[in-house]
Amino acid sequence: MATMTKRTFTALAASGVLQLARGGADQAYAKDKVKIAFVGPLTGALSPHGIGGRNSAELAVKLMNADPTTKYDYELVVLDDECKPNVGVQVVTKIASDRSIIAAIPHYCSATAIATVDIFNRFKLPMVVWAAVLPEITYARKYPEVHRVSGILIGQNRVGAQFMRERGYRKFVSFVDSTDYGKSMNKYFAQFTLENGNEILGTFAVPPDQQDLSAELTKIKELKPEVIYFGGLTPLGARLRTQMEKLGIVAQFEGNSGIMGDAFIAAVGPELAEGTLTFFDSPPISRMPGGKFFTDNYAAAGYRDPPEAYGPFAYVATRLVLETIEKTGPDRAKVTAALGDVKDRPSIVGPINFDDHGQNITPLTTKYVVQDGKWVVWEDSEYASGKRKLKNLP
């Protein structure tokens, strides 16, 4: 027996047996081990987001294990879904089949998350999504095992459409990836843009791994849009912005949470990224209730890669799961039931409130613009003050 449980330790101590092993007892005592799983893209073009999320989840486990008052010793099982639905199904089936894993913190990509929700329900494995924003992940079905601390893409598009109208933009082109995620982005972009009385000159959908966008961009150039709206993730968004420049398309670039993070600016370059707009369901880390705590501990842990935009949410999802296991014990059904009752739970990103579909209803959509190589809250930027100008302002 490699370790000794608390109950065994107490029984042996009472019987006096431990007196025979005096001096080695502290090393022999150990809390029960409890496993939880993290799933995200750790390889491929979206790996910066996955690595930032994994580091943040790992930080939550480290801090919990460092607390001497906790009941259990936690182990984080980390798996790479590559942001591919078929790979996600494989790895989630693997962790769901492993009864030693009590809960999971899965997925950056919506296309992967929507492919795995049925598995979590089938195997009764509770989970808390840390990033994927497709509404159907929580709302298509009412699975008690499925929860999400991040926002959904509807609010981003509502706020974005209103913001662009207030700037005076009228003529848009929509460019999205062809996954369920991209289709949903286009759906809500179109709904809110048309409700505001604006015009959509054309809609283009391409596979997220398409490299050459020149055919689509040639048609877009002929349409002369004031704004190109993008609904997709960083790799495709970076190719779109770069190839727009090569074809001489001078349109305002508008994104959303899929390009939020350092990785987009690094891929495009600070000069070309300048003035890019995006809408993300969180204020910057520095303005989160526990932002300094998270930033200080992330730095102290020595992680080389940044947490990226969704790192704090991965931390919160993990912390929430660990706190729940502390209360219920390592039992999947009990953890599922307790997560369903989460209301006004304090966290570093603000209070967590799950509705009857397990969706956190308290994210705060914030407007951002790239200024000098960084995402800056719009109201704090020189664009808002008028010192700098967005492209094609009427």
Side-chain angles (χ1 to χ4, degrees):
M1 183 174 67
T3 60
M4 187 181 303
T5 66
K6 185 180 290 184
R7 176 178 294 180
T8 305
F9 179 86
T10 302
L12 292 176
S15 67
V17 171
L18 287 180
Q19 297 300 318
L20 300 176
R22 196 175 186 85
D26 289 344
Q27 289 75 19
Y29 169 73
K31 299 177 182 178
D32 289 335
K33 176 81 74 179
V34 175
K35 294 181 182 178
I36 64 172
F38 171 88
V39 184
L42 304 176
T43 57
L46 289 160
S47 59
H49 297 280
I51 291 170
R54 178 206 59 192
N55 292 349
S56 303
E58 184 181 83
L59 177 63
V61 172
K62 285 182 175 178
L63 294 179
M64 184 65 85
N65 282 340
D67 183 348
T69 67
T70 57
K71 299 175 183 175
Y72 305 101
D73 181 44
Y74 295 97
E75 177 182 340
L76 187 68
V77 178
V78 177
L79 291 166
D80 181 9
D81 65 13
E82 303 177 30
C83 268
K84 297 177 180 177
N86 61 325
V87 179
V89 167
Q90 292 176 19
V91 300
V92 168
T93 301
K94 180 180 179 180
I95 61 172
S97 304
D98 183 347
R99 301 301 299 183
S100 72
I101 293 177
I102 304 304
I105 300 92
H107 304 311
Y108 173 77
C109 291
S110 291
T112 308
I114 197 64
T116 68
V117 288
D118 292 341
I119 302 171
F120 287 102
N121 172 253
R122 189 187 320 144
F123 286 87
K124 308 303 179 190
L125 177 63
M127 59 89 118
V128 182
V129 172
W130 58 278
V133 296
L134 182 70
E136 287 78 5
I137 294 167
T138 45
Y139 288 116
R141 300 173 185 82
K142 198 170 182 179
Y143 286 154
E145 295 81 12
V146 176
H147 311 83
R148 174 166 48 191
V149 291
S150 52
I152 57 175
L153 57 81
I154 296 175
Q156 300 169 17
N157 282 285
R158 181 188 293 110
V159 172
Q162 181 64 29
F163 176 86
M164 300 306 281
R165 176 174 173 76
E166 290 171 354
R167 303 284 86 70
Y169 290 115
R170 294 290 182 269
K171 296 180 179 180
F172 296 75
V173 156
S174 176
F175 193 104
V176 299
D177 76 34
S178 55
T179 66
D180 289 341
Y181 169 74
K183 291 175 184 176
S184 189
M185 281 289 187
N186 183 64
K187 172 185 174 181
Y188 290 104
F189 159 74
Q191 175 184 326
F192 296 125
T193 296
L194 296 175
E195 283 179 359
N196 285 335
N198 287 337
E199 185 177 4
I200 301 173
L201 304 175
T203 299
F204 299 81
V206 303
D209 58 351
Q210 181 170 320
Q211 300 299 309
D212 184 359
L213 309 176
S214 57
E216 290 81 7
L217 284 172
T218 298
K219 294 178 182 177
I220 290 172
K221 187 173 183 179
E222 294 172 355
L223 294 172
K224 299 179 180 179
E226 295 168 345
V227 179
I228 294 181
Y229 166 88
F230 173 66
L233 300 174
T234 292
L236 181 59
R239 286 196 294 277
L240 175 61
R241 183 66 191 92
T242 303
Q243 293 181 37
M244 280 172 57
E245 189 71 9
K246 289 180 179 177
L247 286 178
I249 299 175
V250 187
Q252 176 60 41
F253 193 72
E254 175 193 0
N256 45 60
S257 62
I259 64 169
M260 186 63 191
D262 299 335
F264 175 79
I265 299 174
V268 172
E271 184 175 348
L272 195 53
E274 178 72 28
T276 297
L277 293 167
T278 205
F279 304 91
F280 179 55
D281 291 317
S282 175
I285 293 177
S286 61
R287 298 184 187 179
M288 293 177 180
K292 186 176 187 306
F293 169 86
F294 175 79
T295 302
D296 289 350
N297 280 283
Y298 194 94
Y303 294 118
R304 182 180 60 185
D305 301 289
E308 280 291 349
Y310 281 100
F313 288 93
Y315 176 90
V316 168
T318 308
R319 180 79 189 184
L320 182 59
V321 164
L322 299 179
E323 289 176 350
T324 303
I325 294 173
E326 284 289 305
K327 293 179 180 177
T328 66
D331 180 287
R332 288 186 179 186
K334 292 180 180 178
V335 172
T336 295
L339 285 174
D341 292 333
V342 169
K343 304 292 180 188
D344 290 323
R345 180 73 63 84
S347 83
I348 64 164
V349 301
I352 304 298
N353 283 288
F354 288 143
D355 66 11
D356 62 353
H357 281 74
Q359 175 61 49
N360 183 20
I361 58 174
T362 52
L364 300 174
T365 302
T366 304
K367 305 175 283 289
Y368 291 88
V369 62
V370 176
Q371 178 178 304
D372 297 329
K374 296 181 179 178
W375 290 108
V376 178
V377 174
W378 170 261
E379 287 80 2
D380 300 338
S381 74
E382 294 185 354
Y383 291 91
S385 69
K387 189 174 181 179
R388 303 190 195 193
K389 299 291 185 183
L390 298 174
K391 297 181 185 300
N392 282 344
L393 278 176

